[in-house]
Amino acid sequence: MQGAIKAVIFDMDGVLINSEHLWRRAMIKGFGEYGMPVTETECRQTMGMRIGEVIRVWQKHFNNTANPGEVEKGIMALLLEHIAEEGQAIGHIPEILDFCVKNRLRIGLA
């Protein structure tokens, strides 16, 4: 059948779970561990940016030379811990995912 939907791509933040507050906590702790003590307010200033861009912003601001890949790895590990401990699916997401599985739709995460 031409034009039939074959896949559904979801975005994590604000679609599957509300993770903005978890991101901020991970960044505050993670950047702090690498000598970049960002605040909650500062984290909000970079909201919506990709993690690599955020790292460049704070490295420039703090004149920091930590390995960007290591900083990203550290922050992502903290974020995954927070999601595992506190992540809550946004309403009806479990039903939507069940629908996709039952209808053999491929599921992607952007």
Side-chain angles (χ1 to χ4, degrees):
M1 176 184 339
Q2 188 174 7
I5 296 173
K6 296 178 183 173
V8 179
I9 301 172
F10 293 94
D11 178 50
M12 178 75 81
D13 299 325
V15 176
L16 294 180
I17 66 170
N18 179 9
S19 61
E20 284 298 333
H21 65 290
L22 302 176
W23 266 107
R24 282 192 299 276
R25 285 188 19 221
M27 287 195 292
I28 289 167
K29 184 174 181 182
F31 281 120
E33 289 175 357
Y34 286 93
M36 296 174 272
V38 298
T39 66
E40 173 103 13
T41 301
E42 289 171 325
C43 282
R44 289 180 187 276
Q45 293 171 1
T46 59
M47 202 164 104
M49 295 172 73
R50 294 184 181 276
I51 188 66
E53 294 171 302
V54 176
I55 292 168
R56 283 190 294 279
V57 165
W58 297 127
Q59 283 192 304
K60 183 176 180 182
H61 177 78
F62 291 104
N63 195 29
N64 184 283
T65 59
N67 180 304
E70 289 299 314
V71 175
E72 181 174 347
K73 238 168 88 174
I75 291 171
M76 294 305 291
L78 290 166
L79 175 63
L80 292 175
E81 283 179 30
H82 294 324
I83 289 172
E85 293 169 1
E86 304 170 45
Q88 298 280 327
I90 289 179
H92 301 292
I93 290 299
E95 294 88 351
I96 293 168
L97 293 172
D98 285 343
F99 174 86
C100 291
V101 170
K102 287 177 186 168
N103 288 282
R104 297 183 179 172
L105 297 171
R106 292 179 183 235
I107 299 170
L109 182 61

